[in-house]
Amino acid sequence: MTATASPISVPRPIKGPSPGALALGKLLKDKRAVGASIALALLTLAVFIGPSFLPHYEKQVLAMQLAAPTWAHPMGTDHLGRDLLARVLKGGQLSLAIGILGTLVSIVFGTFYGCVSGFFNEKLDLFMMRIVDILYSLPYMFLVIILIFQFGKNIYVLFVALGLVQWLTVARIVRGQVLALKNEEFILAARTLGVGNLRIIVRHIIPNVLGVVIVYATLTVPSVILQEAFLSFLGLSVSSCTWGVLIADGKDYMDTAWWVLLFPGLTLTICLLCMNFLGDSLRDALDPTAKAD
């Protein structure tokens, strides 16, 4: 009678949490990030849903000019008797839209430019980076003003103009990441297998730089909103109601009606502060070298 050998059991590899799950776990442990996310979510809901429950933001009641805050008008009224709360919420819609769409333009263009510059040959990289250096040396706000004057005060022109001056930093960041990645073994293996350049960029390069791009995007949105507010302050606004326009209007009455300046400015400050907190926390969460709590 012969004894049968028992099969050798091969231990299954232990599957750990994905990088995305690890980053989310870190983010949820960060009280600053959680608080900023909740505040931003509430502000966004108020901005996009609130105006439907309030008097029309352009409705003028001349008998209520520069009325102080009351229960009927919690933020008071402006110089034309319009409800300031309704105008602050309505202005938030355009300000947030400008910030998000302007950032999208810069992220898409900058990521594409950085990938092409870093991935292909050295001469092309040198040429493309010199263009970035030249554009960096130009006063970017004047470029925005020139674009607006050239193509008119149009909301779409503003999206493109603000996005096109923000892409330079994205391109440099992405290019640096691509230079570090393109000689990694998994990229060389893909090349050996005959995978095309475009497919390597889309399937392997972009997913690996996405974390850095997301972090930069969270920091770019408040920057674009602030630039739009600055343009509004200079009288170059494309809309009659953004946070920047309301702040610019409020400065004329800061001595006699403080609420006209305070509430739009306070709302803009809270929004920018939350976005910056979230961006910083996101950067820490996506940094693999950061210590786990």
Side-chain angles (χ1 to χ4, degrees):
M1 185 176 180
T2 56
T4 54
S6 58
I8 300 173
S9 60
V10 178
R12 291 183 179 179
I14 300 172
K15 193 175 181 182
S18 66
L22 284 173
L24 183 61
K26 285 184 185 177
L27 208 59
L28 291 176
K29 288 179 184 176
D30 189 338
K31 293 179 182 176
R32 188 179 60 169
V34 173
S37 302
I38 292 172
L40 269 179
L42 291 176
L43 183 62
T44 305
L45 279 176
V47 158
F48 284 98
I49 297 176
S52 56
F53 297 99
L54 292 169
H56 195 272
Y57 73 101
E58 287 183 331
K59 183 181 178 183
Q60 299 179 13
V61 182
L62 296 180
M64 292 288 294
Q65 289 180 345
L66 297 177
T70 59
W71 285 111
H73 301 284
M75 290 187 180
T77 61
D78 67 2
H79 61 292
L80 293 175
R82 295 171 294 193
D83 182 68
L84 197 56
L85 176 59
R87 290 183 64 75
V88 167
L89 295 180
K90 188 67 182 178
Q93 291 180 5
L94 267 178
S95 290
L96 288 178
I98 289 169
I100 292 169
L101 292 178
T103 300
L104 277 178
V105 171
S106 71
I107 292 298
V108 170
F109 191 73
T111 302
F112 172 77
Y113 195 94
C115 282
V116 172
S117 176
F119 189 76
F120 293 99
N121 63 68
E122 214 169 289
K123 285 184 180 176
L124 180 63
D125 180 36
L126 194 65
F127 174 72
M128 292 178 76
M129 282 299 106
R130 291 301 76 79
I131 293 176
V132 170
D133 290 339
I134 291 169
L135 292 177
Y136 252 125
S137 65
L138 299 175
Y140 67 89
M141 190 50 75
F142 285 111
L143 284 179
V144 175
I145 293 170
I146 289 169
L147 284 171
I148 290 174
F149 272 116
Q150 184 68 29
F151 297 103
K153 291 183 178 182
N154 184 296
I155 191 74
Y156 301 107
V157 173
L158 189 63
F159 292 153
V160 175
L162 290 174
L164 287 182
V165 297
Q166 290 287 338
W167 68 271
L168 300 172
T169 307
V170 185
R172 275 193 168 172
I173 292 173
V174 171
R175 180 242 181 192
Q177 295 286 317
V178 173
L179 286 176
L181 284 170
K182 72 176 187 180
N183 291 322
E184 291 288 333
E185 290 181 356
F186 66 97
I187 299 292
L188 297 177
R191 279 181 167 155
T192 306
L193 292 171
V195 180
N197 289 332
L198 181 61
R199 191 175 174 83
I200 290 176
I201 290 174
V202 173
R203 295 292 299 273
H204 300 290
I205 296 289
I206 289 180
N208 279 284
V209 302
L210 208 54
V212 179
V213 171
I214 289 172
V215 171
Y216 186 76
T218 59
L219 299 174
T220 304
V221 173
S223 173
V224 174
I225 292 174
L226 206 55
Q227 285 171 7
E228 187 279 328
F230 179 67
L231 288 172
S232 300
F233 208 78
L234 295 178
L236 295 172
S237 173
V238 296
S239 166
S240 62
C241 190
T242 64
W243 285 336
V245 172
L246 295 179
I247 291 170
D249 289 345
K251 77 178 188 305
D252 297 331
Y253 306 98
M254 59 188 298
D255 292 332
T256 54
W258 51 267
W259 52 90
V260 183
L261 177 63
L262 175 69
F263 289 114
L266 189 62
T267 310
L268 175 63
T269 303
I270 292 172
C271 179
L272 299 183
L273 200 61
C274 290
M275 286 185 178
N276 280 316
F277 279 163
L278 190 60
D280 284 343
S281 299
L282 202 56
R283 181 187 58 202
D284 295 340
L286 290 172
D287 183 3
T289 62
K291 291 182 180 178
D293 293 333

